[in-house]
Amino acid sequence: MPDIKVTPLGAGQDVGRSCILVSIGGKNIMLDCGMHMGYNDDRRFPDFSYITQNGRLTEFLDCVIISHFHLDHCGALPYMSEMVGYDGPIYMTHPTKAICPILLEDFRKITVDKKGETNFFTSQMIKDSQELCILLETFWERMNLKAPIYFSTGLTEKANHYYKLFITWTNQKIRKTFVQRNMFEFKHIKAFDRSYADNPGPMVVFATPGMLHAGQSLLIFKKWAGNEKNMVIMPGYCVQGTVGHKILNGQKKLEMEGRATLDVKLQVEYMSFSAHADAKGIMHLRLVSPEQALKELGLSEHQLRFTCRVQLHDPHSDNDTLGRIYTHLKSVLKTYSIQHVPDGTVIVESIVIKVTSSAEEPNLKVILLSWSYQDEELGSFLSTLLKKGLPS
């Protein structure tokens, strides 16, 4: 196995400015290209001097792989492109695939304006958001509280829709409540609108980013900071230089943009609710196989499958049509395992193919295809192939 050399270019001792160069087998790959949220000058970018020559990027960098679409993982990409001339391939890790490519031009449209300043902010981990929603909803019900709860992030609302649809995939405690009602049908929690920040009376608002360095959370903080009746609860670690870090350390006067001064009179509390493991948690991490993990947790594996319908005119019976499909696929997919099963299905890898028709239109066949995400490309190919019809 070739030697692996790891060179931190900014993330070795701090959160943000994440940029790690990995050299292995003659290839040089950069993992992440993030920015530091606590600075507004060149200190927010990684130190690229190690891989540059005369201010331009040396040609030995093969690609950049970013692990999350967050500022502290990819916020410096436009800077690296424009200032040091990198125009090579960029990949983003994907929850169901190893890596997927992204185009730098598309990335720029999403992340930077003409001044090169970032204009997108991501939510905290969706899983944490749902846990918070359930905890607060339960407490509000028990205490009969009337103050509204708002979530300012659209991602949380979208994710909650899928939690409602797939509640049977959640843990046993949540599934048991489904007998009475869907736990994710919240009565007290609603989507936030900016105008609500000026409403009179008490309210609870969850807003991102958690370090108060920009975005919706900073806008609300500026509105509410001057009233001692208000409170901000910080849910996790804040990078030095961010508003969150400053107020956690007791700073009562903040210099904002344009040298404006903001007096901090509201109460500041810290309550750890981070999606990241701490040092103790990392030390207790262990690698186990998916089968072992399911066994230890007492869970069964869920299979996510895609389905597709293809209509086909064929005068033969359903079984004969299925047989013709089997013969056709055998001639096209010579390197794949194809089975014609007695229960009336054709199986190609994880793909299941069935044929049905109605008594009213027996010649109009409906071909049902179902496949797992591992065979998504093959499934798409087969659906396109069958739409072209069967050879006579």
Side-chain angles (χ1 to χ4, degrees):
M1 182 177 179
D3 292 338
I4 301 175
K5 182 181 179 182
V6 179
T7 308
L9 303 180
Q13 295 181 334
D14 205 352
V15 175
R17 301 182 71 193
S18 57
C19 186
I20 300 172
L21 184 68
V22 177
S23 302
I24 177 171
K27 299 290 185 180
N28 297 283
I29 300 168
M30 183 184 292
L31 303 177
D32 287 351
C33 189
M35 60 180 286
H36 194 293
M37 283 85 75
Y39 299 116
N40 292 317
D41 52 26
D42 284 347
R43 290 177 296 173
R44 61 180 170 170
F45 301 119
D47 180 9
F48 294 123
S49 61
Y50 181 84
I51 55 174
T52 57
Q53 187 175 13
N54 299 323
R56 307 301 291 173
L57 195 72
T58 52
E59 295 181 357
F60 79 148
L61 186 60
D62 295 286
C63 71
V64 177
I65 298 175
I66 59 176
S67 57
H68 299 291
F69 212 61
H70 290 192
L71 290 178
D72 51 344
H73 289 271
C74 62
L77 269 177
Y79 168 84
M80 190 175 76
S81 169
E82 295 171 10
M83 302 303 292
V84 297
Y86 179 74
D87 60 357
I90 299 169
Y91 300 91
M92 182 178 69
T93 56
H94 189 280
T96 60
K97 301 175 183 176
I99 54 175
C100 56
I102 59 175
L103 299 176
L104 190 59
E105 286 301 317
D106 292 337
F107 177 85
R108 259 198 216 103
K109 291 173 187 175
I110 298 171
T111 60
V112 295
D113 57 23
K114 292 179 181 178
K115 296 179 182 178
E117 296 174 346
T118 53
N119 62 15
F120 84 108
F121 308 98
T122 57
S123 72
Q124 296 289 334
M125 292 295 288
I126 290 173
K127 176 176 177 289
D128 276 19
S129 300
Q130 306 308 318
E131 289 177 0
L132 281 170
C133 285
I134 290 174
L135 287 171
L136 289 173
E137 178 79 8
T138 303
F139 185 75
W140 252 239
E141 286 273 307
R142 189 167 70 245
M143 303 303 294
N144 195 29
L145 299 176
K146 303 300 181 185
I149 304 170
Y150 298 112
F151 261 90
S152 72
T153 168
L155 277 178
T156 300
E157 188 175 6
K158 290 177 182 178
N160 196 64
H161 172 69
Y162 290 101
Y163 272 86
K164 285 190 286 187
L165 287 177
F166 298 103
I167 191 169
T168 55
W169 289 22
T170 59
N171 63 43
Q172 187 176 7
K173 184 176 180 180
I174 297 295
R175 289 200 306 271
K176 283 183 177 179
T177 66
F178 192 40
V179 177
Q180 289 81 31
R181 68 183 182 92
N182 192 318
M183 180 66 83
F184 298 99
E185 294 281 359
F186 300 125
K187 298 178 182 178
H188 303 279
I189 302 171
K190 302 175 178 65
F192 181 73
D193 185 273
R194 287 188 180 185
S195 62
Y196 297 170
D198 298 317
N199 288 353
M203 71 178 73
V204 176
V205 178
F206 286 86
T208 58
M211 297 187 191
L212 298 178
H213 59 278
Q216 190 78 274
S217 61
L218 183 59
L219 292 174
I220 298 171
F221 175 80
K222 288 177 181 178
K223 282 180 175 287
W224 294 356
N227 190 334
E228 61 275 4
K229 291 183 179 180
N230 295 333
M231 175 187 289
V232 59
I233 300 176
M234 306 303 296
Y237 173 79
C238 292
V239 172
Q240 186 174 357
T242 59
V243 171
H245 185 270
K246 291 173 182 177
I247 63 173
L248 281 173
N249 283 275
Q251 195 167 324
K252 295 298 183 183
K253 286 187 179 292
L254 303 175
E255 185 177 319
M256 311 304 287
E257 292 180 5
R259 295 192 175 278
T261 301
L262 180 67
D263 291 323
V264 180
K265 297 181 181 178
L266 52 59
Q267 304 167 61
V268 179
E269 297 289 342
Y270 176 82
M271 183 183 297
S272 179
F273 209 87
S274 174
H276 295 266
D278 57 13
K280 183 178 179 182
I282 292 173
M283 293 297 290
H284 283 84
L285 287 176
R286 62 191 180 95
L287 293 175
V288 297
S289 67
E291 295 78 15
Q292 181 66 21
L294 290 170
K295 182 179 179 181
E296 292 183 10
L297 294 171
L299 300 174
S300 57
E301 184 177 6
H302 292 281
Q303 288 285 341
L304 181 63
R305 297 185 66 85
F306 299 91
T307 58
C308 175
R309 290 181 175 219
V310 176
Q311 290 190 338
L312 184 71
H313 285 279
D314 191 87
H316 301 84
S317 67
D318 293 354
N319 286 334
D320 288 344
T321 301
L322 187 66
R324 296 181 67 220
I325 291 173
Y326 169 75
T327 303
H328 183 41
L329 296 184
K330 287 281 285 186
S331 65
V332 175
L333 306 174
K334 298 182 183 300
T335 60
Y336 289 86
S337 171
I338 305 175
Q339 304 174 58
H340 191 172
V341 184
D343 66 355
T345 59
V346 168
I347 298 176
V348 185
E349 303 298 329
S350 74
I351 302 168
V352 178
I353 303 172
K354 295 185 178 182
V355 175
T356 63
S357 62
S358 64
E360 293 79 13
E361 294 185 89
N363 292 341
L364 180 60
K365 310 299 182 184
V366 177
I367 305 172
L368 303 174
L369 296 95
S370 170
W371 62 86
S372 64
Y373 72 87
Q374 294 98 329
D375 290 324
E376 183 178 356
E377 187 175 342
L378 179 59
S380 298
F381 170 77
L382 290 183
S383 64
T384 303
L385 178 68
L386 292 174
K387 284 177 182 176
K388 297 177 182 178
L390 298 174
S392 56

